[in-house]
Amino acid sequence: MNTLVHAAGSAVLPAATYAARRAGLWVFLGVVTSLFLLFGVAYVMRMAAADWQPLRYVPWQLWLSTGLLAAACIAWETARRHAHDAGGRRAGVAGCVLSVAFLCAQWWSWQAMMDMQYRVDGNPADSFFFMLTGLHGLHVMGGLLAAALAARALVQGEAMGGLARYRLAGTIALCAQYWHYLLGLWLVLFALLFWVTPDVVQAVCDSVGLRPPQSR
């Protein structure tokens, strides 16, 4: 049977099965990217309104959550590289724990924003903050469902047969790819929410000869 070969040289999953699952993941990520791209365009266009007030407060909890998500990515990559030994099992569990900690830090940042009078029903920029970070958090939660099952299987890895271990290694590889995507998406959202201002949009439009949306 043809098999996909891991970077370390061990077979991890029948190639056709892994390729189909990987293709499914990339199709899903394409849909998610399109969704966030549309929200991003709406965010930039909404800046043209007279009532727009850029976010001027960045709670330190967001920096904490960014670090936690980056650490979760590292943990899942470690689990992928060591899916067949004890180090991989520990890394998989750590990836799940760090992801839960990320969600907790995000919730904490919401509380900090509301304490500073940034609310869902406030300025449009405030509403976009809660919507985009909440939507990203939902995708992290969805990934955690699959990741938790993978981490559980990693912990029980000693009792698994050969083919089951290969399938598990493929699942771990997909989890690692998904978490890398979540981190990249989060960094883009962070930059969009706090560093993309009407002045930045104006400067970019001027540099490429475009006319930005006009205020009403």
Side-chain angles (χ1 to χ4, degrees):
M1 179 182 294
N2 292 330
T3 54
L4 176 71
V5 179
H6 188 273
S10 58
V12 296
L13 192 67
T17 303
Y18 177 81
R21 296 169 68 191
R22 189 169 185 268
L25 174 63
W26 283 107
V27 169
F28 172 72
L29 295 183
V31 174
V32 174
T33 300
S34 299
L35 175 65
F36 277 96
L37 181 61
L38 290 173
F39 279 124
V41 171
Y43 180 83
V44 172
M45 294 182 66
R46 188 63 177 81
M47 288 181 182
D51 62 345
W52 184 268
Q53 297 178 14
L55 296 171
R56 303 188 184 281
Y57 173 67
V58 184
W60 64 267
Q61 290 88 346
L62 288 180
W63 295 107
L64 172 62
S65 64
T66 301
L68 289 169
L69 188 57
C73 285
I74 294 173
W76 279 111
E77 180 62 23
T78 302
R80 183 188 72 82
R81 293 174 180 269
H82 302 278
H84 300 291
D85 56 46
R89 292 192 287 275
R90 290 192 295 269
V93 173
C96 289
V97 172
L98 287 166
S99 298
V100 172
F102 165 80
L103 293 173
C104 292
Q106 291 292 80
W107 178 261
W108 194 4
S109 72
W110 280 19
Q111 298 299 316
M113 292 291 281
M114 288 188 287
D115 289 343
M116 295 296 293
Q117 304 306 311
Y118 293 91
R119 301 186 180 279
V120 177
D121 58 351
N123 182 266
D126 306 354
S127 301
F128 268 102
F129 167 80
F130 288 102
M131 180 186 67
L132 291 175
T133 56
L135 190 59
H136 179 269
L138 286 176
H139 284 83
V140 174
M141 292 174 64
L144 270 173
L145 295 178
L149 294 176
R152 180 173 179 269
L154 274 172
V155 173
Q156 299 174 344
E158 294 298 332
M160 298 175 65
L163 182 58
R165 288 191 180 187
Y166 295 155
R167 292 185 61 84
L168 172 60
T171 300
I172 296 302
L174 295 177
C175 284
Q177 293 172 22
Y178 185 63
W179 252 257
H180 295 335
Y181 173 84
L182 288 175
L183 176 60
L185 177 60
W186 170 246
L187 294 176
V188 171
L189 291 177
F190 200 123
L192 177 67
L193 289 168
F194 295 102
W195 297 331
V196 176
T197 64
D199 291 339
V200 171
V201 174
Q202 180 69 55
V204 172
C205 290
D206 290 344
S207 67
V208 297
L210 294 177
R211 183 179 180 182
Q214 300 298 311
S215 300
R216 293 182 179 180

